[in-house]
Amino acid sequence: QVQVVESGGGRVQAGGSLRLSCTASGIIFSIRDMAWYRQAPGEQRELVASISSSGSTKYADSVKGRFTISRNDAKMTLYLQMTSLKPEDTAAYYCNVDRARGVLPSDNYWGQGTQVTVSS
């Protein structure tokens, strides 16, 4: 059974930093793309950053230069280093994992989310 668990959220003042982690377990083959999404109250879930199995990264314009996504495949862990946080970064942050399944199509898993609150 695949599980995806995020951690590292919390409350921080504007200008501060947080590091989110996401660990996947129960995966036999390998992980393909991994990504962080976020969802603020009343808003749609949006992509924050993604990283491919080869290490290619993409960022939402709103976080470029402030957030850094990285992964450790040996630990099946995804990270999001967030700096210069702004009140508009306040949201629940979700980890998304695309699991390879050999000859079968990959499937996709979400974590339960971790709350980030940035006060002004």
Side-chain angles (χ1 to χ4, degrees):
Q1 181 179 358
V2 176
Q3 287 189 316
V4 177
V5 179
E6 301 102 333
S7 62
R11 182 180 296 271
V12 65
Q13 287 191 328
S17 300
L18 281 175
R19 188 193 195 206
L20 305 183
S21 299
C22 164
T23 300
S25 60
I27 294 179
I28 297 175
F29 289 105
S30 61
I31 298 174
R32 297 177 60 185
D33 294 348
M34 303 178 82
W36 288 100
Y37 288 74
R38 67 186 180 187
Q39 186 168 19
E43 302 289 333
Q44 288 189 333
R45 190 170 295 189
E46 63 172 358
L47 176 66
V48 175
S50 66
I51 183 167
S52 72
S53 56
S54 64
S56 296
T57 58
K58 294 181 181 178
Y59 295 92
D61 288 343
S62 59
V63 306
K64 281 181 181 176
R66 300 187 299 122
F67 290 10
T68 302
I69 190 171
S70 61
R71 61 192 283 172
N72 183 326
D73 287 343
K75 295 182 179 181
M76 289 195 175
T77 300
L78 176 70
Y79 304 99
L80 185 68
Q81 180 68 49
M82 305 186 292
T83 63
S84 302
L85 282 161
K86 304 175 181 179
E88 50 264 44
D89 294 318
T90 295
Y93 283 70
Y94 297 90
C95 175
N96 183 271
V97 173
D98 198 45
R99 179 184 68 154
R101 296 195 297 165
V103 297
L104 297 174
S106 62
D107 56 6
N108 197 264
Y109 295 86
W110 291 94
Q112 82 290 349
T114 185
Q115 179 66 35
V116 172
T117 302
V118 184
S119 58
S120 57

